[in-house]
């Protein structure tokens, strides 16, 4: 197992599809595309483009790094399931990295890592654990640092995953702070007939 892996990291936890290829300690290729829908269809072609641009193939990877959230429920599921599937198929480890851990790579001193959420809310890492709060309430805890550049965010995921390479044995799992906002079905249940 190499000490400085060739690692492909990706993230779809927000309105983007982002990937970064790390060789040793250097980001070789990074790419991010803004999109609110379609990450499931775009992710694997984007990963293949990143590998191709670096002159590498799937067999050249030592590990996968993946953003596990918090963020968009469906986006998190897309990334985590892709990472687990790729890791299984390639027989390499997949390392999950929370958005908070990725933000910590670039957060200025005295700032609280925060991840934007819908309805003027943010996810923050507090001493009690991760929470979903109104932005104004979170700002009362101190100045917030929010990732706005998906390229920088996925590069941070790659660096954190590389440092954890060889130490994590569990497959990545989604980090959900709140339940999915899918509305319950409005269809009427079928009528059961007595025989």
């Amino acid at each position: 197992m190499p000490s400085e892996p060739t690692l492909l990291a990706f993230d779809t936890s927000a309105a983007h599809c982002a990937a970064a290829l790390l060789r040793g300690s250097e980001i070789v290729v990074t790419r991010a595309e803004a999109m609110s829908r379609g990450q499931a269809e775009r992710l694997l072609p984007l990963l293949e483009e990143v590998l191709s641009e670096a002159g590498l193939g799937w067999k050249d990877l030592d590990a996968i790094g993946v953003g596990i959230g918090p963020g968009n429920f469906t986006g998190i599921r897309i990334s985590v399931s892709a990472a687990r599937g790729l890791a299984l198929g390639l027989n390499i480890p997949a390392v999950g990295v929370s958005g908070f851990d990725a933000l910590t790579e670039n957060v200025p001193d005295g700032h609280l890592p925060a991840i934007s959420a819908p309805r003027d809310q943010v996810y923050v890492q507090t001493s009690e654990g991760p929470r979903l709060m109104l932005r104004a309430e979170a700002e009362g805890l101190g100045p917030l640092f929010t990732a706005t550049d998906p390229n920088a965010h996925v590069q941070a995921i790659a660096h954190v995953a590389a440092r954890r390479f060889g130490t994590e044995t569990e497959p990545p799992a989604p980090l959900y702070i709140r339940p999915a906002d899918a509305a319950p079905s409005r269809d009427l249940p079928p009528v059961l007939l007595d025989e």
Side-chain angles (χ1 to χ4, degrees):
M1 189 176 297
S3 60
E4 292 191 329
T6 298
L7 182 142
L8 182 62
F10 50 90
D11 180 60
T12 58
S13 64
H16 62 253
C17 192
L21 181 68
L22 180 90
R23 289 190 89 175
S25 59
E26 178 186 349
I27 297 291
V28 180
V29 179
T30 185
R31 179 129 2 117
E33 297 176 7
M35 56 178 47
S36 58
R37 308 186 93 148
Q39 289 99 330
E41 294 80 12
R42 183 66 184 122
L43 180 60
L44 286 177
L46 178 73
L47 298 179
E48 288 182 338
E49 290 166 15
V50 166
L51 286 169
S52 176
E53 188 174 329
L56 299 175
W58 294 105
K59 65 180 177 14
D60 298 310
L61 296 176
D62 298 309
I64 298 289
V66 64
I68 61 169
N72 176 289
F73 185 82
T74 301
I76 295 168
R77 286 189 338 203
I78 290 166
S79 280
V80 170
S81 61
R84 290 175 72 139
L86 286 169
L88 184 64
L90 298 169
N91 196 30
I92 60 175
V95 179
V97 178
S98 79
F100 300 120
D101 290 343
L103 281 172
T104 302
E105 288 289 293
N106 301 310
V107 68
D109 285 342
H111 285 69
L112 183 67
I115 298 167
S116 294
R119 296 179 282 284
D120 202 30
Q121 297 177 325
V122 291
Y123 299 103
V124 293
Q125 181 71 46
T126 68
S127 57
E128 293 91 39
R131 292 185 46 205
L132 178 64
M133 305 172 76
L134 288 172
R135 182 174 293 276
E137 180 185 1
E139 288 170 345
L141 300 174
L144 303 180
F145 177 74
T146 306
T148 55
D149 178 5
N151 275 309
H153 191 67
V154 75
Q155 289 176 34
I157 289 169
H159 285 291
V160 173
R163 281 197 303 276
R164 294 180 181 167
F165 175 65
T167 63
E168 296 207 3
T169 57
E170 293 297 316
L175 174 60
Y176 299 130
I177 309 294
R178 63 181 174 90
D181 15 344
S185 174
R186 294 179 189 223
D187 294 336
L188 295 175
V191 175
L192 299 176
L193 303 174
D194 291 330
E195 294 185 319

